[in-house]
Amino acid sequence: MPVSSIDLVDLALGMAGMDQLPADSCVLVPGAGMRKVMFGIDIGSAELLLAQQLGCDGVIAHHPAGGTARRHFAEVLTRQIELMIDHGVAQDAARAAAQPLISRAIMAGHSANADHVPSVARLLGMPLMNMHLPLDEIGRRIMIDVIDDHVTSLDHAPKVQDAIDALMTLAEFKEADTQIMVPVGAVDNPLGHLAIVHGAGTNGGARVAQTYFEYGVGTVLYIHCAGDEVAKLRESEGAGNLIVTGHIASDLLGINRYIAQIESRGVEVVRMSGL
């Protein structure tokens, strides 16, 4: 059964338990009657031309490909604050920790050529959309569920390795080109209270992680973290454990389940760019 851009949006929002598209996700060129779509984590002009050559009716990107999702990306970073508060961080401390991240994203939005890729899609007549935070939220919930199920069945206080063992039961991590890392802390340390910081735009860096630690979180999970931010955490006092699961493998948790639902509607999905 062919689908429209609206159908694809409604599907993602329903799976993620959201009422409206967050600022990092948008329909750039609407489409209808789509029976074959290309899906990639990153989509640019070349990929749009490839989609046309392959006879696709539309293209879905995971990461923002332009438009409002590129210009207003900073708005979704407030999710960092919400997650910190959910894990017991005081509101003022959460805002202070996330503000540098938000400020950098605001300035980046001013420098971006947000219409570059969408303009190519319009000229080609190729429907284009991106779906970011909703799919990451699906992935975050999967990680929470699989770790909770595993650690509650243990006959000992969970360690960091136990959370990793739980994640490794998921095909996306078992088959990944990258390995789950613990660049700060150690696998045999107590897991303590775990904060899975995914579905919040990007990782929070050293400042956000340290704020979690200061408020009693024993382990923070990011899907990626820059080397200089890891170095800052290693040098800070009272740092807990940092698990880094791998960017693409972690993104695939939500993406794969979304694609499965698209395919169940009879739509062919051409996978590329990390899928």
Side-chain angles (χ1 to χ4, degrees):
M1 181 176 68
V3 297
S4 67
S5 302
I6 294 174
D7 295 330
L8 294 172
V9 167
D10 289 345
L11 174 61
L13 294 181
M15 292 177 68
M18 295 179 174
D19 296 325
Q20 60 185 11
L21 272 177
D24 66 345
S25 306
C26 66
V27 175
L28 295 156
V29 178
M34 292 182 283
R35 298 178 181 272
K36 181 179 180 180
V37 298
M38 174 181 282
F39 201 137
I41 290 179
D42 295 291
I43 294 293
S45 301
E47 289 76 21
L48 292 173
L49 286 167
L50 177 61
Q52 185 184 61
Q53 291 175 357
L54 295 175
C56 295
D57 306 310
V59 178
I60 306 171
H62 178 50
H63 293 151
T68 57
R70 187 80 177 270
R71 289 192 300 269
H72 299 288
F73 182 76
E75 295 176 21
V76 303
L77 295 176
T78 58
R79 180 69 177 139
Q80 295 279 350
I81 299 170
E82 295 171 8
L83 289 176
M84 280 187 276
I85 293 172
D86 287 347
H87 288 280
V89 177
Q91 182 173 335
D92 289 347
R95 290 186 179 279
Q99 191 55 52
L101 188 69
I102 295 171
S103 296
R104 285 196 298 272
I106 290 172
M107 299 313 297
H110 276 261
S111 67
N113 181 2
D115 194 47
H116 176 68
V117 176
S119 70
V120 176
R122 290 195 302 271
L123 287 170
L124 292 174
M126 180 63 69
L128 173 65
M129 62 184 287
N130 92 277
M131 194 59 60
H132 190 223
L133 195 145
L135 305 190
D136 285 349
E137 174 62 15
I138 294 167
R140 187 182 74 91
R141 293 180 182 186
I142 290 169
M143 286 195 275
I144 290 172
D145 289 345
V146 73
I147 292 174
D148 283 351
D149 287 347
H150 181 69
V151 300
T152 54
S153 68
L154 299 173
D155 59 2
H156 60 269
K159 298 183 179 297
V160 173
Q161 185 62 52
D162 292 313
I164 295 172
D165 290 344
L167 293 172
M168 289 302 296
T169 64
L170 296 168
E172 287 80 2
F173 293 121
K174 283 192 291 188
E175 299 168 5
D177 293 332
T178 54
Q179 293 183 335
I180 297 176
M181 302 172 60
V182 184
V184 181
V187 295
D188 57 353
N189 282 351
L191 181 65
H193 182 70
L194 171 65
I196 296 179
V197 188
H198 185 32
T202 186
N203 75 85
R207 187 164 182 173
V208 167
Q210 187 60 41
T211 301
Y212 275 109
F213 297 145
E214 289 170 359
Y215 278 82
V217 172
T219 303
V220 169
L221 184 152
Y222 285 161
I223 72 168
H224 55 78
C225 190
D228 58 340
E229 296 296 308
V230 168
K232 290 176 186 177
L233 271 179
R234 287 174 174 166
E235 294 169 359
S236 64
E237 294 183 6
N241 307 294
L242 176 67
I243 298 174
V244 178
T245 54
H247 188 176
I248 303 305
S250 304
D251 278 354
L252 287 176
L253 289 174
I255 291 170
N256 284 342
R257 284 145 187 85
Y258 182 51
I259 287 177
Q261 288 299 313
I262 294 173
E263 291 177 329
S264 73
R265 287 154 172 78
V267 176
E268 179 183 354
V269 178
V270 178
R271 294 170 171 80
M272 55 88 65
S273 184
L275 274 59

